[in-house]
Amino acid sequence: MEYAIEIENLTKIFDKFTAVNNVGFKVKKGDVFGFLGPNGSGKTTVIRMIMGLISPTSGTGKVLGYDITTDNEKIRSHLGYMSQKFSLYDDLTVDENLDFYAGVYCVPKGKIDKKKKEILEMADLIGKENMITSNLSGGWKQRLALGCSIIHEPEILLLDEPTGGVDPIARRQFWDVIYDLSKKGVTVLVTTHYMDEAEHCNSIGFLYYGNILSLDTPNAMKEKIIDGDIVEIKVNNTLKSIELLKEKCNVRDASVYGAGIHVMTKPGVNLIELKEYLIQNHINVISIKKVRPTLEDVFIFLVEKENKIKELDFRYEL
């Protein structure tokens, strides 16, 4: 079996609200798959359906060949799950949290000590076994929560916004651990709204209010999707420049990016003309150049395209 997760036309409707709309994707064994999108896009709902916590309104899904609607218990024994809130007991020690989850996941007694030692080493918590969990830093809590979710050696790991609230260094260390797990054959599905984290995934799906806007590898998305150019401009007045650029007919969007501005234009933009336009409006242009699109650029392009389609559909209905 090549795929660990196979989802087809998955839909979930709560009353009159469609949280997930005809979502479909496949995740190869040992791959890292990312669901990227803003909060409220349906990412958590998809995970809950995969875990069998809620039933889909329609559509089908298989996890390691098991049906997500009829084989819930079989699926859960192969899954590890980590939520944004880490699901740890703050009033217990590090060691007690590990013991608790070992019991929840029915880890054989003969393997518990070995698994705990491995997790403590992975989480850099050797010597902190007796610390109360509430006293740990965000990064340590994060790695402990990950350790608790894999103490039973699951084949699939579901991570729901796992890096929220931790510093950039802790995030980087966390992804190093994810890579190591993937190399060992663990399949990882991670939801995030951090664009830079999506770069770590073998493939990603852009989820926007229940709909998948695109499904591909990060590099393929950056190469294929945007119909136009991305121009990076550095100026002395960023906010005023963005307002001016958005008024240009050949500019689709302009937004802050790092210390400069990313401008999404129609194909064949003239950089000299763009620069002169800003100078004429009393902007000091420090630099201007075409650059390769980022995933953030791709997402903005896809969202604007989707919103225009919805606007046309709404006008047609009227």
Side-chain angles (χ1 to χ4, degrees), residues 245-306:
L245 289 163
K246 286 184 175 180
E247 293 174 2
K248 286 285 286 180
C249 62
N250 61 345
V251 171
R252 288 190 170 119
D253 190 69
S255 58
V256 175
Y257 187 82
I261 302 169
H262 263 206
V263 185
M264 192 180 299
T265 73
K266 294 179 181 178
V269 64
N270 188 316
L271 295 186
I272 295 174
E273 179 186 319
L274 210 56
K275 181 177 180 179
E276 288 178 349
Y277 167 70
L278 291 172
I279 292 172
Q280 289 168 5
N281 284 278
H282 313 293
I283 298 295
N284 178 23
V285 179
I286 300 166
S287 65
I288 181 169
K289 61 181 179 181
K290 290 183 183 180
V291 295
R292 190 167 182 254
T294 65
L295 284 176
E296 185 174 336
D297 296 323
V298 172
F299 187 63
I300 290 171
F301 179 83
L302 289 169
V303 167
E304 289 195 345
K305 184 178 178 181
E306 177 74 5

Side-chain angles (χ1 to χ4, degrees), residues 14-249:
F14 296 99
D15 295 327
K16 295 181 180 180
F17 173 68
T18 301
V20 176
N21 183 35
N22 286 321
V23 164
F25 61 93
K26 294 180 180 180
V27 184
K28 289 183 179 180
K29 286 186 174 182
D31 270 8
V32 180
F33 178 86
F35 254 142
L36 190 64
N39 292 331
S41 291
K43 303 188 298 291
T44 299
T45 303
V46 172
I47 281 187
R48 292 175 70 193
M49 285 190 282
I50 289 173
M51 294 177 69
L53 298 177
I54 56 175
S55 299
T57 304
S58 61
T60 61
K62 289 185 177 181
V63 176
L64 298 173
Y66 297 115
D67 190 285
I68 63 172
T69 57
T70 59
D71 299 320
N72 299 340
E73 293 301 321
K74 292 177 182 177
I75 288 173
R76 286 176 200 159
S77 66
H78 297 278
L79 296 181
Y81 171 68
M82 178 180 165
S83 70
Q84 184 176 3
K85 295 181 180 178
F86 304 153
S87 303
L88 296 171
Y89 289 91
D90 280 345
D91 55 342
L92 297 182
T93 66
V94 169
D95 194 59
E96 287 168 341
N97 263 296
L98 290 172
D99 281 334
F100 173 78
Y101 279 97
V104 168
Y105 287 118
C106 301
V107 178
K109 288 185 178 181
K111 294 181 66 176
I112 291 177
D113 288 342
K114 179 174 179 280
K115 288 303 303 177
K116 283 168 61 176
K117 183 181 178 182
E118 290 174 0
I119 288 166
L120 290 168
E121 289 174 351
M122 174 204 75
D124 194 24
L125 286 168
I126 297 291
K128 298 179 176 64
E129 296 90 339
N130 295 319
M131 277 187 68
I132 299 297
T133 301
S134 60
N135 294 330
L136 296 175
S137 69
W140 276 337
K141 281 185 179 179
Q142 179 195 55
R143 292 194 294 276
L144 175 59
L146 177 62
C148 290
S149 69
I150 62 172
I151 197 166
H152 58 306
E153 300 179 338
E155 295 174 63
I156 297 175
L157 185 57
L158 305 178
L159 307 173
D160 195 7
E161 300 281 356
T163 57
V166 297
D167 62 82
I169 294 175
R171 284 172 57 197
R172 190 176 304 164
Q173 291 170 338
F174 179 83
W175 274 97
D176 287 340
V177 176
I178 297 304
Y179 277 143
D180 288 340
L181 290 170
S182 177
K183 288 176 183 176
K184 293 174 183 176
V186 177
T187 305
V188 181
L189 188 155
V190 56
T191 72
T192 181
H193 58 270
Y194 292 116
M195 299 291 169
D196 60 318
E197 291 192 348
E199 300 278 2
H200 298 287
C201 301
N202 299 104
S203 57
I204 56 175
F206 275 126
L207 198 63
Y208 185 64
Y209 294 110
N211 296 287
I212 288 187
L213 302 186
S214 184
L215 191 66
D216 213 326
T217 66
N219 284 334
M221 285 192 179
K222 288 184 283 188
E223 293 291 340
K224 299 176 184 177
I225 288 178
I226 294 180
D227 177 24
D229 298 302
I230 300 296
V231 180
E232 182 181 276
I233 307 177
K234 292 185 179 179
V235 294
N236 65 326
N237 190 328
T238 300
L239 295 180
K240 183 180 177 182
S241 299
I242 288 174
E243 291 177 6
L244 289 166
L245 289 163
K246 286 184 175 180
E247 293 174 2
K248 286 285 286 180
C249 62

